[in-house]
Amino acid sequence: MPFVNIKIPEAALSTPQKEEVIHRVTDMLAEYFTEAARPHTMVLIEEVKDGGYGRADAVYVTPAPFRARD
């Protein structure tokens, strides 16, 4: 069973955008593993809260202009 775990900043993607990512990743894996894998493919999108991770020794907070609106 293919399993993909995607971590994104909280509120970076809207619900429709997350749905699109799930569908496109599933399609990609079905191309590689054949259609037989589609019903067994799991795509998990985890939203990491602001301040919950960092890059280059700095705590990351999603800027307001980059927050998705559902």
Side-chain angles (χ1 to χ4, degrees), residues 7-66:
K7 295 182 188 289
I8 61 170
E10 185 176 45
L13 297 176
S14 66
T15 299
Q17 288 173 317
K18 286 186 261 186
E19 290 173 359
E20 181 181 357
V21 168
I22 291 167
H23 292 306
R24 292 177 72 175
V25 169
T26 301
D27 287 344
M28 179 189 67
L29 292 172
E31 284 181 33
Y32 282 99
F33 296 111
T34 77
E35 283 296 320
R38 186 178 296 276
H40 307 288
T41 298
M42 174 173 248
V43 179
L44 174 64
I45 297 178
E46 290 185 89
E47 292 186 294
V48 179
K49 291 193 173 287
D50 276 347
Y53 61 100
R55 182 183 71 198
D57 202 30
V59 175
Y60 186 81
V61 176
T62 306
F66 296 103

